[in-house]
Amino acid sequence: MIEPKKKQRKVLLLVNLFSAANNDSARIIDGRSAAEEIKSSIAIEVSRMKESIGKVPGLAVILVGQRRDSLAYVRNKIMACHEVGFRFTIAELPESCTEDDICDALSNYNKDASIHGILVQLPLPQHFDEGKILNVLSLEKDVDGFHPLNIGNLAIQGREPLFIPCTAKGCIELLLSSDVEIVGKRAVVIGRSNIVGLPTFLLLQRHHATVSIVHAYSENPKIITREADILVAAAGVPNLVRGSWLKPGAVVLDVGINPIEDPESEHGYRLIGDVCFEEAVRIASAVTPVPGGVGPMTVAMLLLNTLEAAKRALCFT
C-alpha cells in the first residue's frame, strides 16, 4: 500500500492546492512539483547505491510504432532516468514487427542482470496480443505492474503485488499527499483499460472508496459522474468531461493525454486532457492540469518501482 509522504512534501502541495481558498476557481494539483521531490529522493538513493556497490538501477523500454502519446511518455522517461542516474536502454521496433520480435527483445532484457526494470510501452498496435507478450516479461522486472500476477494480486484482498501500476499509483499518491479524503468517498473512474482504469479502480477500492466505472456502454454517464467526490478521467477522449459532468467541489484527476495538431508547438502538436479544464476549474475543488499533473507522477512512480526492483535484485538496503 502507498503511505503518505513526509510533512514537507504535503505542505508543498497543500500550499498550491488551498492557498486561495476563497477563490471561486479550483486549486491546481501540481504533479510536477510532487514528482520533482520524489526524483530528488531517488537520486540520493541511486548515489548511495553507486558509492556502496558500484551499481545503479537499469530500466529498459520496448517501444513499438510511433504513437505520439507513447513517444511523449518515452521522452519523459528517458529524461527522468538521466536526472536520477539510472541506466536506460530502449528497443525501438516498427509497427510491422512480429510478436516474436517483441518477445525476443523481452527475453534478452529478462536475462540482462544490469536491467532491473522492463516495460513494454502500451498500448501496443491493435494486432498484437498484449496478454501473450506481457506473460514473457519477468515478474521481478515488471515495473509497470501489468504482469497478470501483479494485477491479480492487486485485485485479491490480503495479497500484495510486487509492483503497482504506475499511473494508478501516481493518482493515489496525489490524492494522499494533497490530503484528499478517500475512505468512504464516492469515486468514479472513466475508462476500464488494463493500463489505467482497472488498476485505478482496484487501488481506490483498497483505500476503501466506493468505486464505479464508466465506460463506452454506460448509460447516462453524466448522471454517474455527477455523484463522484473523486473523478478519475482515463478515457482517451479529448475534452470528454464537461463542467456539467462534475459534482460541485469534486476532486478531478485528468489522466488523458491527447495530441492535438499545433504547428506552433515544438513537435507539431500539443497535449490536452480528457477533462475540459476551463470548465472544470469553475466547479471542482481541485483538478490536475494536462500536461503537468498525473503524467509527471506516472514517471516518478516508474522510477520508484525500478529503484525497488534494483534494491531487491542487488540485496541493497
Side-chain angles (χ1 to χ4, degrees):
M1 299 291 288
I2 306 171
E3 297 297 331
K5 299 300 180 182
K6 296 178 182 178
K7 183 177 180 181
Q8 178 184 3
R9 180 166 166 215
K10 294 178 81 172
V11 169
L12 177 65
L13 284 177
L14 286 171
V15 167
N16 189 42
L17 187 59
F18 298 117
S19 60
N22 293 326
N23 195 313
D24 289 336
S25 297
R27 297 301 90 209
I28 308 305
I29 301 177
D30 186 355
R32 280 202 179 100
S33 294
E36 286 301 319
E37 188 167 343
I38 292 170
K39 287 191 290 184
S40 295
S41 299
I42 292 172
I44 292 171
E45 279 295 283
V46 172
S47 179
R48 187 172 70 88
M49 179 183 289
K50 187 174 183 179
E51 291 176 3
S52 299
I53 61 175
K55 296 180 179 180
V56 299
L59 176 65
V61 173
I62 297 174
L63 175 65
V64 181
Q66 296 289 309
R67 276 181 61 118
R68 285 178 169 178
D69 54 350
S70 292
L71 291 171
Y73 273 127
V74 169
R75 279 196 303 270
N76 291 337
K77 289 165 184 173
I78 293 172
M79 290 188 294
C81 283
H82 290 159
E83 287 175 16
V84 300
F86 282 11
R87 178 181 176 230
F88 182 89
T89 183
I90 183 170
E92 296 186 73
L93 302 174
E95 190 170 336
S96 60
C97 73
T98 66
E99 284 185 1
D100 286 343
D101 292 330
I102 302 173
C103 291
D104 286 346
L106 270 174
S107 296
N108 289 334
Y109 286 140
N110 281 342
K111 293 180 284 189
D112 188 340
S114 69
I115 297 298
H116 307 103
I118 307 168
L119 68 90
V120 180
Q121 185 64 45
L122 299 179
L124 290 170
Q126 290 187 351
H127 59 281
F128 290 111
D129 184 342
E130 288 185 359
K132 174 185 173 182
I133 290 167
L134 291 176
N135 271 329
V136 177
L137 176 58
S138 167
L139 181 65
E140 292 76 14
K141 297 186 178 185
D142 174 37
V143 290
D144 243 353
F146 295 147
H147 190 286
L149 286 177
N150 273 323
I151 291 293
N153 284 330
L154 182 62
I156 298 173
Q157 290 186 20
R159 294 195 180 184
E160 294 295 333
L162 281 179
F163 304 103
I164 295 172
C166 302
T167 301
K169 186 175 180 178
C171 286
I172 298 298
E173 181 68 12
L174 282 174
L175 293 173
L176 292 175
S177 59
S178 303
D179 267 3
V180 174
E181 183 67 38
I182 303 175
V183 176
K185 297 300 181 179
R186 182 70 183 269
V188 173
V189 179
I190 303 177
R192 55 178 175 177
S193 71
N194 292 333
I195 302 171
V196 180
L198 176 61
T200 303
F201 171 85
L202 294 172
L203 201 51
L204 283 165
Q205 280 193 324
R206 283 196 167 217
H207 285 267
H208 310 296
T210 301
V211 195
S212 300
I213 284 185
V214 168
H215 51 77
Y217 296 96
S218 297
E219 295 183 357
N220 301 315
K222 182 164 64 173
I223 294 176
I224 301 171
T225 60
R226 279 186 61 85
E227 296 180 357
D229 302 301
I230 299 167
L231 180 70
V232 181
V237 179
N239 288 335
L240 171 69
V241 179
R242 314 297 299 203
S244 60
W245 287 45
L246 301 177
K247 176 182 179 179
V251 175
V252 179
L253 302 184
D254 190 351
V255 182
I257 176 168
N258 305 293
I260 301 296
E261 296 292 336
D262 184 355
E264 297 182 1
S265 178
E266 178 183 358
H267 301 289
Y269 63 92
R270 58 187 174 88
L271 301 175
I272 67 171
D274 288 357
V275 177
C276 182
F277 184 81
E278 293 77 10
E279 296 180 12
V281 293
R282 297 199 296 266
I283 297 168
S285 64
V287 62
T288 59
V290 176
V294 176
M297 284 297 287
T298 297
V299 176
M301 295 301 106
L302 172 66
L303 298 177
L304 271 180
N305 283 353
T306 304
L307 177 62
E308 181 183 342
K311 285 183 170 182
R312 187 182 294 124
L314 299 170
C315 300
F316 183 78
T317 57

